[in-house]
Structures are given as structure tokens and as C-alpha cells.
Amino acid sequence: MERKSSLVPVPSWVPASGHALRYAGIHFDAVRIGGLRGEHVAYEIMQFTDFRAGPIVRSRIGARSMYFLLPPQTVRAYRWPAGAEVMSRDGRAAAFVGVPALHGLTWPLDWCSLPVAEAPFVDGALLHELTVGVLADEPDGRSVDYRPR
């Protein structure tokens, strides 16, 4: 993980220690992609942005999802493919995203890519383009569990 970029100022929604749940749609919107496909999208966007992709949170339990954090109220500007779950503020249900501190013990969450001054959020258009490309590679669009048994 690239840590040379400026972290000043630290976003107010990043906890000082541990991790905290944040309501999607207030400080950020999120796109959740599970398993190997989420890791593949994260790898692609990190390569494309020279490791300055903006905030990407990795969950190391359950489906081992990646959460790509976009500016608030922007995620619905795109039509996301099956396998990419949109998390934003709407009248139907509340969506919460776990956010780890920048340093210290934050298991089961950590940063795949940090929020930095140059990229306080993931670029929605770029994420959408890469997500469509990666998820289109799956023949039926369903999530596949690639973890060893």
C-alpha cells in the first residue's frame, strides 16, 4: 500500500482508532464487491491510478468484500452490474459501512487504498468502467467464492 501521499486533512469520518460504522450517503457512498472479483477491481483501479485510487476498505471476514468509497450522493449516477452492490442513502433501508482507523489494530477491516488529499474519494466513472469490465468476465454475473476450502 502506498503511504507517501498526503493524508492531511484526515476525513472526519475516519475514526482515530479501531473501526466505526458510518452511514452510507452522508459522508460517502459505497460500492461493495465481494470475493476475488472485488480484489480484481481494486487491483485494476490501483494500477490505473498509480496507487492513488482513493478510499477502498477491505473486509477480511464473510465474503471478504471491498468497499469503494465515492462522494456522497453520486453512486446512483451509474448503472452498476450484478455483483456490485450500491450503498447510499435512500428511503428504503439504511446502509452502514465499516471504516477502519488509518493506523493500529483495525481487524477485520483495513485499507486497500487510503483517502489522500489528491484522491479523497474513488473516481466513480473510472470505478464503473473497471467494474463493468471485470464483472462482465463472469459468465452468469453471480458472485463466485474463490477461497480455498
Side-chain angles (χ1 to χ4, degrees):
M1 174 174 14
E2 178 76 28
R3 292 191 186 248
K4 294 179 182 177
S5 298
S6 170
L7 294 173
V8 178
V10 174
S12 63
W13 43 267
V14 174
S17 63
H19 50 77
L21 289 177
R22 299 292 187 234
Y23 186 41
I26 301 295
H27 300 289
F28 53 79
D29 283 355
V31 175
R32 176 173 53 195
I33 304 173
L36 186 61
R37 296 183 315 154
E39 292 178 24
H40 187 173
V41 172
Y43 172 81
E44 293 294 330
I45 200 165
M46 294 287 286
Q47 292 293 312
F48 194 85
T49 61
D50 197 27
F51 297 91
R52 290 177 183 83
I56 304 172
V57 175
R58 175 178 27 226
S59 173
R60 296 194 178 269
I61 59 172
R64 299 179 186 232
S65 299
M66 293 287 192
Y67 294 83
F68 301 85
L69 307 185
L70 284 66
Q73 303 302 305
T74 61
V75 75
R76 296 203 187 275
Y78 306 96
R79 184 178 172 110
W80 297 92
E85 181 182 352
V86 171
M87 303 175 80
S88 187
R89 184 174 165 179
D90 64 21
R92 293 176 292 177
F96 292 90
V97 175
V99 177
L102 295 179
H103 307 287
L105 297 175
T106 62
W107 191 89
L109 304 173
D110 67 347
W111 291 101
C112 179
S113 177
L114 294 167
V116 294
E118 303 86 30
F121 295 102
V122 172
D123 180 287
L126 177 59
L127 176 64
H128 180 260
E129 181 180 340
L130 294 171
T131 299
V132 167
V134 168
L135 297 185
D137 290 340
E138 289 293 328
D140 59 5
R142 291 184 304 192
S143 179
V144 177
D145 185 1
Y146 292 98
R147 290 178 286 165
R149 301 208 187 268

